[in-house]
Amino acid sequence: MTIGLLLLTAAFALTLYNFWDADRARKASNEAVDELEKQISIVPPDGDEMPTIEIDGHRYIGILQIPSLGLALPVMEEWNYDKLKISPCRYSGSYYTKDLVICGHNYARHFSPIKWIENGVDVYFENVQGIKFHYKVSKKEILQPTQIDKMITSSDDWDLSLFTCTTGGRTRCTVRCVEVVK
């Protein structure tokens, strides 16, 4: 009985921590989006390098927006596990070369909602120069964590890929998008 009570208490504590961590990430992302929106300026592209804006010691390449999910998230220039706790990050590629891959934590106000996204949904990426890229979701797939090559090399068919861990972290929910050409 005591062990059961201890396990329930531990589970409750872990649940509270997860809610706190997700809320902290939501606040950090919102603050970064607000700051990015203030600093984004319309400047012509300069070469093939993606420009960045530094906020609180982190470099961002732009803002990812999925209006149907109510998401507007900053995207960091490069990824690591600590940065994912703040915002989604560029995993590989570039919007210039049409092979951008963005990873995000499975937080409720980060990439968790992408598992419910439908084909045809609009996705936007605004870089720090104010250039807006418009995409449409064309495919959703589940990949194994070991299928890194498929995540990156499959980008020949998609201009933008978004991915996050599924609940439990055993697989990756991957959303593939194609750019809408005007």
Side-chain angles (χ1 to χ4, degrees):
M1 183 98 147
T2 303
I3 292 173
L5 186 57
L6 285 174
L7 290 174
L8 284 174
T9 302
F12 182 70
L14 181 60
T15 300
L16 287 178
Y17 171 78
N18 286 338
F19 280 120
W20 172 84
D21 197 34
D23 190 55
R24 179 206 44 76
R26 179 192 56 79
K27 289 176 184 173
S29 286
N30 288 346
E31 289 170 8
V33 165
D34 290 344
E35 190 59 35
L36 278 169
E37 286 175 341
K38 290 177 193 171
Q39 293 188 39
I40 285 177
S41 60
I42 298 180
V43 179
D46 184 23
D48 291 339
E49 292 295 316
M50 291 187 300
T52 61
I53 291 176
E54 185 173 331
I55 300 171
D56 295 331
H58 300 287
R59 301 205 66 73
Y60 293 88
I61 60 171
I63 300 170
L64 178 74
Q65 298 171 329
I66 309 174
S68 67
L69 299 178
L71 295 178
L73 298 164
V75 178
M76 283 196 202
E77 174 183 40
E78 59 186 20
W79 86 278
N80 69 36
Y81 292 109
D82 289 333
K83 290 177 181 181
L84 281 177
K85 289 186 170 216
I86 298 169
S87 80
C89 302
R90 181 180 70 88
Y91 186 76
S92 70
S94 166
Y95 43 77
Y96 289 133
T97 54
K98 299 182 181 289
D99 60 353
L100 183 59
V101 179
I102 300 172
C103 58
H105 212 315
N106 195 14
Y107 293 135
R109 295 305 304 156
H110 278 193
F111 272 15
S112 180
I114 71 170
K115 60 186 155 215
W116 296 297
I117 205 165
E118 299 290 331
N119 285 349
V121 166
D122 292 311
V123 176
Y124 301 93
F125 183 83
E126 183 177 9
N127 73 6
V128 299
Q129 294 173 303
I131 300 169
K132 205 168 208 176
F133 299 85
H134 179 195
Y135 304 92
K136 288 237 184 237
V137 173
S138 63
K139 182 179 182 179
K140 189 168 62 172
E141 60 186 331
I142 301 297
L143 297 176
Q144 296 300 313
T146 56
Q147 292 180 292
I148 296 168
D149 286 343
K150 187 172 182 183
M151 179 67 67
I152 297 169
T153 58
S154 290
S155 61
D156 294 341
D157 299 326
W158 299 281
D159 303 312
L160 173 68
S161 295
L162 312 174
F163 76 94
T164 190
C165 295
T166 56
T167 305
R170 293 181 186 216
T171 57
R172 306 294 178 257
C173 177
T174 308
V175 174
R176 307 294 193 166
C177 305
V178 293
E179 188 171 8
V180 175
V181 181
K182 297 176 186 175

